Amino acid sequence: MKFVAITSCPTGIAHTYMAAEALEQAAKAEGHEIRVEPQGAAGAQALGADVISAADAVIYAADLEVRDKGRFAGKPYVDVGVKAPINDAKAVLASAAEAARARTGAASGAAAAGTGGADVPTPETKVASGAGVGTRVRQWLMTGVSYMIPFVAAGGILIALGFMIGGYEIADAEPSTVIDDFSVVSAHSWGALLFLSGDALFAFLVPVLAGFIAFAIADRPGLAPGFLGGAVAVTVEAGFLGGLAAGFLAGFVALGLGRMPVPSAVRSIMPVVVTPLVASFVTGLVMFLILGRPLEALMSGLSSWLGSLTGGSLILLGAVLGLMMAFDMGGPVNKVAYTFATAGLATVGTTSGDAVEFTIMAAVMAAGMTPPLGLALATVVWRRLFTPAEVQNGKAAWLLGASFITEGAIPFAAADPLRVIPSLMVGSGVAGGLVAASGATLRAPHGGVWVIPLIGSPLMFLAAIAAGSVVTALAVWALKSVGRRSRPPESAPTAPRGHRRLTSRLRPPRREDPRRTEPCPSAPRRSARPSACTPAPRACSCRPRWRPGSRSASPEKTDPPATPAACSR
Amino acid sequence: MSEPNRPLVTAELVDTGLSASDRDDAARQLAALLHKAGRVSDLDGFLDDVRAREAQMATGMPGRVGLPHARSAHVAVPSLAVGICPGGVDFGGPDGPARLVFLIAAPAGSDEDHMRILAALARKLIHAEFREALLESPDARSVADTVIREVDVA
């Protein structure tokens, strides 16, 4: 097998090189190929991209932060600390080989179907050199998702806390509430502060997802076009599915450009200037011109179709709205469903009594709450079907789901869309249908469990959510167990389990390297809400203000693309 | 920095009969050799740096090697002091008390060429033949010569 390794230690003169030598000697003895980059005081000859891409796994024998770690994004790796190879390089190579096999094995995925849940060790599979397309696609997706998760969790929890403290109307708070009129003793001020901060983080969800998918494909030159593609996906309201597409588009354009033969004079500026520039232009062009208009048509088509359903079976309507809410969680389909409900809410206004519009609103909110809740449930019950990062995200998803922040489900859906999205739709469809059948009502456009006082028949409402969540979890379990091994594929930034044990036993805490400051992939420096209220070709193509279920519509708004309500601030 | 081209180790920096109560004592005895040779300006200051490094992570290596080391402002030229310790001195290594103790002294701001020599030394320590050769050396001079020969960066 082929490996690459990074070694480093605090002083950079002894362990770094002993570990490197030990790995090289052991690899020779075991018949592996290895290239080591000692990141020590003697300067490092950096591993080339071709060497890295040919490697089956990466060994981090580093007690300092690895320089330029992005080079290895998406590769299977073990992280063992500098002492492990000095003490037993053979064991380190064996665990790296296992990590490489686990990755390849998970990808081939054909054997051992239906063993989900059982405690089956990863079968030894033949190792193909160079991962297959499926594996790589998943690595790319997981890279994007793993960078997005902190934004989802932190942003979602801030928003939920904002609702808790400031009530659901906090979603209409102006930035001036916080900037000009902040009062330390006002719950409204604090709620607004929390909500606006979470809202700003949510603005990054799709750009970060797209940006780091492109980064995983094309390395740093992919970052700018990827972020751009994600931002345009937000602008044209393509949701996270649009972001996925944008990430792949930007990544491959950048990768292709990076591989083009160019004169040596230009080569040095390719990765920094030319590739990001050209790839950004191409990505922007495709996203705006090719995706924008059809999406608009799709949305208006769906809207009128929904309108034609009114007056028919309310249960059917609730179920359909539920399916739509869960389909793209903030994308065009979700938006149509959410707007349909809030527009209805606006038409009945403050009518007392139980207008059917109130029930539709309740169905839509329930359907938007079950995706994160169902997934959170699934991560608890069938932990092994999820990566460690997903299990962590599952903990935040409880609060996000309870607060009607459907985005909590996006990391799961983006990582495994074909299995997760249908599961979410089934559960949300059930929840929407049940709410419609029960006749529960809701008089607020958002808020989750924090608006229970505004819900008619709250027990029925909660029962519908519970049922929908259980259905979601069961569906996820069923789909994820089919054609997949019992052990989940490990995501890029998390370590394979087997070597975790090795890690905890061997490695001392990582230290800051006193010799340098590491640049990290930082978020764009522009304001958190880059396009808010800038003039744009479409009436409401500024980044809409976040609303539960991601939609920008205000209750008084009937046709979101035509009414720039969200832009006016 | 007065004599940047002095060899890494000479016979006067080798103690073939090192006897030390603990790793601190071993480091002190070897550092004294460096101090006497004018390679370390402030003995206590340098030892503080070595101790600080040792506190981060024990430098006992497989093969019964102790490898105290530091980059220190009190070091004039990259240097190595070698102690052969038949009785062994504990450096926290995985397979018993160290019989070979290498004290590496690197100047705080030394350039990469010097560091490359130390890197080559560290790599050599992995090889059992190198350790055996040192243990079997008849005298201090041959220890120094063996190190210089093996570490010579070709």
Side-chain angles (χ1 to χ4, degrees), chain A residues 304-320:
Chain A
S304 48
W305 177 64
L306 269 185
S308 73
L309 284 184
T310 33
S313 159
L314 185 59
I315 296 174
L316 175 69
L317 182 59
V320 166

Side-chain angles (χ1 to χ4, degrees), chain A residues 154-240:
Chain A
I157 291 172
L158 284 173
I159 290 172
L161 291 174
F163 280 140
M164 254 185 256
I165 294 173
Y168 79 89
E169 298 92 342
I170 211 71
D172 299 320
E174 302 290 336
S176 63
T177 319
V178 179
I179 298 167
D180 302 328
D181 309 324
F182 191 82
S183 161
V184 184
V185 293
S186 155
H188 185 76
S189 288
W190 284 108
L193 176 68
L194 291 164
F195 177 86
L196 290 170
S197 302
D199 185 39
L201 270 178
F202 266 25
F204 286 109
L205 292 194
V206 175
V208 164
L209 177 65
F212 281 96
I213 287 172
F215 171 75
I217 295 170
D219 210 7
R220 225 169 286 180
L223 212 45
F227 267 87
L228 170 80
V232 179
V234 173
T235 305
V236 301
E237 292 168 339
F240 84 98

Side-chain angles (χ1 to χ4, degrees), chain B residues 17 29 33 66 89 98:
Chain B
Q29 291 187 37
L33 298 177
V89 53

Side-chain angles (χ1 to χ4, degrees), chain A residues 410-459:
Chain A
I410 290 182
F412 298 93
D416 193 4
L418 296 182
R419 290 187 181 85
V420 171
I421 291 177
S423 310
L424 301 181
M425 290 175 68
V426 172
S428 291
V430 167
L434 284 177
V435 168
S438 76
T441 58
L442 169 63
R443 288 159 179 274
H446 38 68
V449 296
W450 313 108
V451 292
I452 291 270
L454 300 175
I455 293 174
S457 314
L459 287 181

